[in-house]
mmCIF file of all heavy atoms in Angstrom:
data_model
loop_
_atom_site.group_PDB
_atom_site.id
_atom_site.type_symbol
_atom_site.label_atom_id
_atom_site.label_comp_id
_atom_site.label_asym_id
_atom_site.label_seq_id
_atom_site.Cartn_x
_atom_site.Cartn_y
_atom_site.Cartn_z
ATOM 1 N N LYS A 134 26.643 40.119 -3.507
ATOM 2 C CA LYS A 134 27.717 39.120 -3.666
ATOM 3 C C LYS A 134 27.030 37.743 -3.894
ATOM 4 O O LYS A 134 25.939 37.527 -3.394
ATOM 5 C CB LYS A 134 28.520 39.019 -2.392
ATOM 6 C CG LYS A 134 29.402 40.231 -2.160
ATOM 7 C CD LYS A 134 30.228 39.992 -0.888
ATOM 8 C CE LYS A 134 31.083 41.227 -0.545
ATOM 9 N NZ LYS A 134 32.022 40.969 0.555
ATOM 10 N N PRO A 135 27.729 36.804 -4.548
ATOM 11 C CA PRO A 135 27.120 35.484 -4.738
ATOM 12 C C PRO A 135 27.030 34.702 -3.379
ATOM 13 O O PRO A 135 27.788 35.007 -2.451
ATOM 14 C CB PRO A 135 28.028 34.745 -5.700
ATOM 15 C CG PRO A 135 29.275 35.574 -5.787
ATOM 16 C CD PRO A 135 28.987 36.900 -5.211
ATOM 17 N N LEU A 136 26.164 33.740 -3.300
ATOM 18 C CA LEU A 136 26.088 32.883 -2.129
ATOM 19 C C LEU A 136 27.245 31.893 -2.133
ATOM 20 O O LEU A 136 27.789 31.521 -1.105
ATOM 21 C CB LEU A 136 24.801 32.045 -2.140
ATOM 22 C CG LEU A 136 23.443 32.699 -1.948
ATOM 23 C CD1 LEU A 136 22.327 31.705 -2.040
ATOM 24 C CD2 LEU A 136 23.391 33.400 -0.563
ATOM 25 N N TYR A 137 27.609 31.397 -3.363
ATOM 26 C CA TYR A 137 28.607 30.357 -3.523
ATOM 27 C C TYR A 137 29.419 30.608 -4.791
ATOM 28 O O TYR A 137 28.984 31.344 -5.690
ATOM 29 C CB TYR A 137 27.972 28.955 -3.697
ATOM 30 C CG TYR A 137 27.025 28.519 -2.610
ATOM 31 C CD1 TYR A 137 25.651 28.685 -2.737
ATOM 32 C CD2 TYR A 137 27.532 27.910 -1.451
ATOM 33 C CE1 TYR A 137 24.813 28.281 -1.744
ATOM 34 C CE2 TYR A 137 26.658 27.492 -0.450
ATOM 35 C CZ TYR A 137 25.294 27.671 -0.599
ATOM 36 O OH TYR A 137 24.436 27.261 0.373
ATOM 37 N N PHE A 138 30.581 29.907 -4.830
ATOM 38 C CA PHE A 138 31.252 29.722 -6.106
ATOM 39 C C PHE A 138 31.253 28.179 -6.370
ATOM 40 O O PHE A 138 31.673 27.455 -5.479
ATOM 41 C CB PHE A 138 32.703 30.177 -6.040
ATOM 42 C CG PHE A 138 32.863 31.644 -5.982
ATOM 43 C CD1 PHE A 138 33.411 32.288 -4.891
ATOM 44 C CD2 PHE A 138 32.466 32.422 -7.096
ATOM 45 C CE1 PHE A 138 33.548 33.663 -4.840
ATOM 46 C CE2 PHE A 138 32.648 33.835 -7.022
ATOM 47 C CZ PHE A 138 33.132 34.432 -5.913
ATOM 48 N N ALA A 139 30.791 27.808 -7.495
ATOM 49 C CA ALA A 139 30.944 26.386 -7.895
ATOM 50 C C ALA A 139 32.310 26.324 -8.517
ATOM 51 O O ALA A 139 32.625 26.973 -9.535
ATOM 52 C CB ALA A 139 29.837 25.980 -8.859
ATOM 53 N N LYS A 140 33.167 25.462 -7.954
ATOM 54 C CA LYS A 140 34.561 25.381 -8.439
ATOM 55 C C LYS A 140 34.658 24.214 -9.414
ATOM 56 O O LYS A 140 34.251 23.081 -9.098
ATOM 57 C CB LYS A 140 35.480 25.092 -7.257
ATOM 58 C CG LYS A 140 36.946 25.261 -7.519
ATOM 59 C CD LYS A 140 37.712 25.062 -6.213
ATOM 60 C CE LYS A 140 39.221 25.127 -6.444
ATOM 61 N NZ LYS A 140 39.987 24.772 -5.281
ATOM 62 N N THR A 141 35.072 24.530 -10.621
ATOM 63 C CA THR A 141 35.198 23.485 -11.601
ATOM 64 C C THR A 141 36.607 23.529 -12.175
ATOM 65 O O THR A 141 37.290 24.541 -12.069
ATOM 66 C CB THR A 141 34.220 23.640 -12.793
ATOM 67 O OG1 THR A 141 34.652 24.803 -13.575
ATOM 68 C CG2 THR A 141 32.798 23.842 -12.312
ATOM 69 N N SER A 142 37.057 22.436 -12.767
ATOM 70 C CA SER A 142 38.417 22.434 -13.297
ATOM 71 C C SER A 142 38.396 22.860 -14.765
ATOM 72 O O SER A 142 37.791 22.225 -15.584
ATOM 73 C CB SER A 142 39.028 21.063 -13.204
ATOM 74 O OG SER A 142 38.133 20.083 -13.653
ATOM 75 N N GLY A 143 38.940 24.011 -15.020
ATOM 76 C CA GLY A 143 38.967 24.548 -16.397
ATOM 77 C C GLY A 143 40.092 23.907 -17.167
ATOM 78 O O GLY A 143 41.080 23.440 -16.611
ATOM 79 N N THR A 144 39.938 23.882 -18.517
ATOM 80 C CA THR A 144 40.933 23.210 -19.311
ATOM 81 C C THR A 144 42.111 24.112 -19.571
ATOM 82 O O THR A 144 43.254 23.657 -19.607
ATOM 83 C CB THR A 144 40.300 22.841 -20.701
ATOM 84 O OG1 THR A 144 39.500 23.913 -21.145
ATOM 85 C CG2 THR A 144 39.414 21.608 -20.578
ATOM 86 N N THR A 145 41.882 25.456 -19.643
ATOM 87 C CA THR A 145 42.990 26.346 -19.900
ATOM 88 C C THR A 145 43.362 27.167 -18.706
ATOM 89 O O THR A 145 44.502 27.667 -18.579
ATOM 90 C CB THR A 145 42.652 27.293 -21.062
ATOM 91 O OG1 THR A 145 41.401 27.917 -20.742
ATOM 92 C CG2 THR A 145 42.519 26.575 -22.357
ATOM 93 N N SER A 146 42.399 27.394 -17.794
ATOM 94 C CA SER A 146 42.654 28.390 -16.745
ATOM 95 C C SER A 146 42.842 27.816 -15.346
ATOM 96 O O SER A 146 42.667 28.520 -14.393
ATOM 97 C CB SER A 146 41.461 29.370 -16.734
ATOM 98 O OG SER A 146 40.264 28.656 -16.704
ATOM 99 N N GLY A 147 43.079 26.528 -15.240
ATOM 100 C CA GLY A 147 43.131 25.955 -13.926
ATOM 101 C C GLY A 147 41.740 25.907 -13.354
ATOM 102 O O GLY A 147 40.773 25.636 -14.030
ATOM 103 N N ALA A 148 41.583 26.277 -12.018
ATOM 104 C CA ALA A 148 40.238 26.251 -11.439
ATOM 105 C C ALA A 148 39.427 27.412 -11.967
ATOM 106 O O ALA A 148 39.879 28.533 -12.177
ATOM 107 C CB ALA A 148 40.392 26.383 -9.911
ATOM 108 N N LYS A 149 38.135 27.101 -12.202
ATOM 109 C CA LYS A 149 37.191 28.124 -12.600
ATOM 110 C C LYS A 149 36.201 28.347 -11.447
ATOM 111 O O LYS A 149 35.771 27.396 -10.805
ATOM 112 C CB LYS A 149 36.380 27.699 -13.823
ATOM 113 C CG LYS A 149 37.243 27.556 -15.080
ATOM 114 C CD LYS A 149 36.430 27.551 -16.408
ATOM 115 C CE LYS A 149 35.323 26.580 -16.473
ATOM 116 N NZ LYS A 149 34.804 26.474 -17.887
ATOM 117 N N TYR A 150 35.855 29.603 -11.187
ATOM 118 C CA TYR A 150 34.943 29.935 -10.108
ATOM 119 C C TYR A 150 33.653 30.491 -10.738
ATOM 120 O O TYR A 150 33.635 31.579 -11.267
ATOM 121 C CB TYR A 150 35.548 30.985 -9.170
ATOM 122 C CG TYR A 150 36.784 30.458 -8.427
ATOM 123 C CD1 TYR A 150 38.031 30.711 -8.929
ATOM 124 C CD2 TYR A 150 36.632 29.738 -7.279
ATOM 125 C CE1 TYR A 150 39.192 30.193 -8.270
ATOM 126 C CE2 TYR A 150 37.721 29.256 -6.584
ATOM 127 C CZ TYR A 150 39.004 29.472 -7.106
ATOM 128 O OH TYR A 150 40.089 28.988 -6.441
ATOM 129 N N ILE A 151 32.601 29.699 -10.731
ATOM 130 C CA ILE A 151 31.344 30.076 -11.328
ATOM 131 C C ILE A 151 30.381 30.584 -10.231
ATOM 132 O O ILE A 151 30.074 29.795 -9.282
ATOM 133 C CB ILE A 151 30.658 28.874 -12.050
ATOM 134 C CG1 ILE A 151 31.620 28.261 -13.049
ATOM 135 C CG2 ILE A 151 29.342 29.316 -12.703
ATOM 136 C CD1 ILE A 151 32.019 29.120 -14.206
ATOM 137 N N PRO A 152 29.949 31.828 -10.244
ATOM 138 C CA PRO A 152 29.088 32.323 -9.150
ATOM 139 C C PRO A 152 27.709 31.707 -9.139
ATOM 140 O O PRO A 152 27.151 31.435 -10.233
ATOM 141 C CB PRO A 152 29.032 33.852 -9.464
ATOM 142 C CG PRO A 152 29.453 34.064 -10.867
ATOM 143 C CD PRO A 152 30.293 32.850 -11.291
ATOM 144 N N ILE A 153 27.220 31.448 -7.949
ATOM 145 C CA ILE A 153 25.801 31.035 -7.773
ATOM 146 C C ILE A 153 25.186 32.025 -6.757
ATOM 147 O O ILE A 153 25.756 32.238 -5.700
ATOM 148 C CB ILE A 153 25.729 29.612 -7.181
ATOM 149 C CG1 ILE A 153 26.313 28.613 -8.200
ATOM 150 C CG2 ILE A 153 24.293 29.179 -6.898
ATOM 151 C CD1 ILE A 153 26.358 27.157 -7.718
#
Side-chain angles (χ1 to χ4, degrees):
K134 292 183 183 186
L136 290 179
Y137 303 98
F138 290 114
K140 192 177 176 185
T141 69
S142 47
T144 42
T145 51
S146 50
K149 295 199 307 193
Y150 296 94
I151 306 294
I153 296 177

